[in-house]
């Protein structure tokens, strides 16, 4: 027997609400947030290093690395002089 359960509320409703709050806060602070995600080895760090190199004199930039395995990329980014965590 198949039972269909109707979900009236998005399971991501809480995520959406938090994302909305974050967007509002960042806009008020005039902060542009970019989440850069792609396959391992596809060129994220290279792209970031070039982007930061081109813009760091004109914009205040911070990088949050989300590598759960190592701090190699965070250390590489920190060498550019921008705030990196
Ligand atoms: N040919 C070519 N090689 C690239 C390009 N961008 C990056 N690479 C090379 O690809 C390799 C991986 O680049 P990374 O920038 O370290 O890639 P990543 O996505 O940060 O890798 P992870 O952090 O390990 O997931 C390096 O050897 C880069 O020099 C590109 O546009 N063309
Ligand atoms: Mg990388």
């Amino acid at each position: 027997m198949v039972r269909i359960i109707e979900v009236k509320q998005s399971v991501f409703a809480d995520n959406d609400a938090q994302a909305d709050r974050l967007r509002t806060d960042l806009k008020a602070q005039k902060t542009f947030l970019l989440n850069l995600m792609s396959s391992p080895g596809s060129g994220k760090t290279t792209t970031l290093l070039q982007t930061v190199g081109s813009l760091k004199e004109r914009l205040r930039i911070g990088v949050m690395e989300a590598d759960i395995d190592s701090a190699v990329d965070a250390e590489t980014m920190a060498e550019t002089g921008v705030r990196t965590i």
Side-chain angles (χ1 to χ4, degrees):
M1 183 183 137
V2 175
R3 226 176 113 215
I4 296 172
I5 301 170
E6 265 193 70
V7 180
K8 303 270 185 194
Q9 189 186 355
S10 165
V11 289
F12 296 122
D14 188 50
N15 292 26
D16 291 343
Q18 290 202 40
D20 271 346
R21 271 198 297 278
L22 184 59
R23 263 191 289 273
T24 304
D25 289 351
L26 290 171
K27 196 170 180 185
Q29 295 164 16
K30 297 188 188 308
T31 298
F32 175 71
L33 175 74
L34 178 70
N35 189 5
L36 182 60
M37 293 171 70
S38 69
S39 311
S42 57
K44 297 176 292 293
T45 298
T46 305
T47 301
L48 267 180
L49 287 171
Q50 294 295 319
T51 305
V52 164
S54 301
L55 298 177
K56 70 176 178 182
E57 304 305 331
R58 279 189 286 151
L59 301 173
R60 196 151 57 95
I61 300 175
V63 177
M64 185 192 299
E65 288 280 349
D67 188 333
I68 56 167
D69 252 3
S70 78
V72 176
D73 280 350
E75 284 157 8
T76 306
M77 282 309 309
E79 284 168 17
T80 65
V82 301
R83 176 120 194 259
T84 305
I85 57 171

